[in-house]
Amino acid sequence: MKHKYEEVIEAIINWAITEKYKPNEKIPTESELMSLFNVSRHTVRRAISDLSAQQYVYRIQGSGIYLSDWKQNSIHLKKNKNIGVLTTHISNYIFPDIIKGIEDTLYAESYSLLLSSTSNNIMFENSNLKNLLAHKIDGLILEPTKSAYQIHNLEYLNSIISQNIPIIMINASYYEINVPSLRVNDFNGGVMATNHLISLGHSNITGIFKVDDSQGIHRMNGFITECQNNDIPPSKNQILTYLSEEVETILPQRIEVVLKSEKRPTGIFCYNDEIAYMVLNIAHKLNLRIPEDLSIIGFDDSMLSKIMDPKLTSITHPKEQMGIDAAKLIIKLVNNNNQFEDSDSILYEPSLVIRNSTVSL
């Protein structure tokens, strides 16, 4: 939970970023700020003191509080290079490997890292972008939040771009802004996974996809395309979609309904290995044998795929290599005045790792 003075700081920084007040323009007085934010004079003074230390504001004795030329100040204040890293998650699934690649590469070049996550929540992305701007970053590695939707925080990203601060995106991209991206070819991965099940004789197959991220949309499109190419007609249970917020609530119930249905699938392609693990546990609860009764394939070739019983067939994700490549690219752009070309973007081609969770029908 934020302290009151932090809310005041965030609001005034937002005024600066959105240019509600211009550099060297007077902002509300202490009394006006107290009334505006419903806080004490002590809270206002603490916030102004912190903002003054960050060179966002300055006082003129007997006149008031003024907004600094904070963009120009940030140029002079920069000594150590700071790279902001904003991902949807930090500590779980494949993200520690991605972040390790970024961290090791940045530290080897004496760069500092400011790490935060959005929990795939648009409002958290908004708040974290504000905080990163306040820290005067030299570059930003961003994993877009809910990338299947229209961008919601364009204003803050444009503010970063206007300062010639490099941005690169990983795992997905916002099409509204032109910056390099490092992504897996999710469409081809979807085709590859679906083709594997079909090659084993499965025609009654289900795909489970998260549809608020572009990765899930691309994987689903690969699944649909490969089914169509093999004349597999759509069925009621062929595609199961979900949103990030439904993973622990609605999705398990819907998976159980599919697995209990009279025409339950013989093969399932899952958005990622975490969903495959969920399907495995539900199948075990229903006394379905894997892979004899149900073949399961995941995506990302995470650590989960290697410890599941049976071990999971999965599509690869570069993980740590993506982190290394992202860090190298952001360093290059920082040192090269943010001059980038289309060739700086990377589209990783996935591969299929066959284990014991899939078998011929």
Side-chain angles (χ1 to χ4, degrees), residues 261-319:
S261 66
E262 183 179 344
K263 294 184 178 181
R264 67 167 176 79
T266 62
I268 294 186
F269 168 38
C270 301
Y271 165 74
N272 64 15
D273 294 347
E274 284 188 320
I275 301 304
Y277 185 64
M278 179 186 294
V279 171
L280 177 79
N281 286 332
I282 294 171
H284 282 165
K285 186 176 74 171
L286 299 175
N287 295 317
L288 295 175
R289 298 169 300 164
I290 310 298
E292 292 85 357
D293 298 324
L294 181 67
S295 286
I296 305 173
I297 182 168
F299 204 117
D300 291 332
D301 191 33
S302 67
M303 185 56 66
L304 265 178
S305 65
K306 302 169 183 66
I307 64 174
M308 286 171 57
D309 185 20
K311 291 181 173 58
L312 180 68
T313 298
S314 188
I315 304 295
T316 59
H317 183 293
K319 295 183 281 295

Side-chain angles (χ1 to χ4, degrees), residues 145-346:
T145 293
K146 293 191 181 296
S147 53
Y149 298 164
Q150 184 178 4
I151 186 170
H152 283 75
N153 293 308
L154 183 60
E155 182 178 27
Y156 298 106
L157 292 173
N158 277 337
S159 180
I160 294 172
I161 291 170
S162 72
Q163 298 173 61
N164 204 34
I165 297 172
I167 301 175
I168 64 172
M169 299 192 182
I170 58 173
N171 284 327
S173 60
Y174 286 132
Y175 298 111
E176 293 90 341
I177 59 175
N178 180 30
V179 298
S181 64
L182 285 73
R183 300 180 292 113
V184 175
N185 193 330
D186 292 296
F187 178 87
N188 282 1
V191 168
M192 197 176 298
T194 310
N195 177 265
H196 174 64
L197 290 174
I198 293 172
S199 71
L200 294 174
H202 297 274
S203 58
N204 183 9
I205 55 179
T206 291
I208 305 175
F209 305 102
K210 182 163 69 164
V211 291
D212 51 5
D213 288 341
S214 60
Q215 299 99 302
I217 299 293
H218 293 318
R219 293 171 192 181
M220 180 175 67
N221 287 339
F223 171 81
I224 293 170
T225 297
E226 190 62 11
C227 285
Q228 291 174 340
N229 288 342
N230 286 272
D231 297 321
I232 295 177
S235 63
K236 180 181 178 181
N237 294 327
Q238 189 179 46
I239 296 178
L240 196 59
T241 62
Y242 67 96
L243 304 175
S244 300
E245 296 79 14
E246 298 173 340
V247 171
E248 296 180 1
T249 53
I250 297 173
L251 182 60
Q253 300 169 22
R254 296 180 65 197
I255 291 172
E256 186 165 338
V257 169
V258 169
L259 293 184
K260 282 181 174 179
S261 66
E262 183 179 344
K263 294 184 178 181
R264 67 167 176 79
T266 62
I268 294 186
F269 168 38
C270 301
Y271 165 74
N272 64 15
D273 294 347
E274 284 188 320
I275 301 304
Y277 185 64
M278 179 186 294
V279 171
L280 177 79
N281 286 332
I282 294 171
H284 282 165
K285 186 176 74 171
L286 299 175
N287 295 317
L288 295 175
R289 298 169 300 164
I290 310 298
E292 292 85 357
D293 298 324
L294 181 67
S295 286
I296 305 173
I297 182 168
F299 204 117
D300 291 332
D301 191 33
S302 67
M303 185 56 66
L304 265 178
S305 65
K306 302 169 183 66
I307 64 174
M308 286 171 57
D309 185 20
K311 291 181 173 58
L312 180 68
T313 298
S314 188
I315 304 295
T316 59
H317 183 293
K319 295 183 281 295
E320 187 170 349
Q321 186 61 51
M322 176 183 280
I324 292 169
D325 292 341
K328 287 181 177 178
L329 178 55
I330 202 72
I331 290 170
K332 171 188 169 183
L333 297 183
V334 168
N335 292 332
N336 195 31
N337 197 31
N338 197 22
Q339 298 298 310
F340 62 85
E341 301 173 351
D342 291 343
S343 58
D344 287 324
S345 293
I346 301 175

Side-chain angles (χ1 to χ4, degrees), residues 32-138:
E32 288 169 338
L33 290 171
M34 288 166 59
S35 175
L36 184 61
F37 296 105
N38 192 26
V39 295
S40 67
R41 187 173 298 276
H42 171 76
T43 297
V44 168
R45 287 182 172 173
R46 179 172 179 182
I48 296 300
S49 175
D50 283 4
L51 287 165
S52 178
Q54 297 177 48
Q55 296 198 18
Y56 273 99
V57 300
Y58 62 92
R59 288 181 182 271
I60 296 179
Q61 190 67 32
S63 178
I65 308 165
Y66 292 78
L67 193 68
S68 299
D69 190 348
W70 61 281
K71 292 183 182 180
Q72 190 63 34
N73 288 341
S74 70
I75 296 172
H76 297 303
L77 284 173
K78 288 178 183 177
K79 294 178 182 177
N80 297 324
K81 300 292 187 183
N82 296 316
I83 302 298
V85 178
L86 182 55
T87 58
T88 55
H89 300 282
I90 291 177
S91 60
N92 62 329
Y93 195 46
I94 63 173
F95 293 95
D97 289 331
I98 297 173
I99 292 165
K100 181 180 186 301
I102 294 172
E103 188 175 47
D104 290 349
T105 307
L106 290 178
Y107 286 171
E109 297 295 326
S110 300
Y111 280 68
S112 297
L113 179 148
L114 300 170
L115 179 63
S116 51
S117 76
T118 66
S119 299
N120 212 30
N121 181 299
I122 290 168
M123 293 306 298
F124 290 165
E125 183 186 63
N126 178 294
S127 177
N128 278 298
L129 285 172
K130 288 180 187 177
N131 290 335
L132 288 170
L133 274 166
H135 281 91
K136 302 177 176 65
I137 54 173
D138 295 273

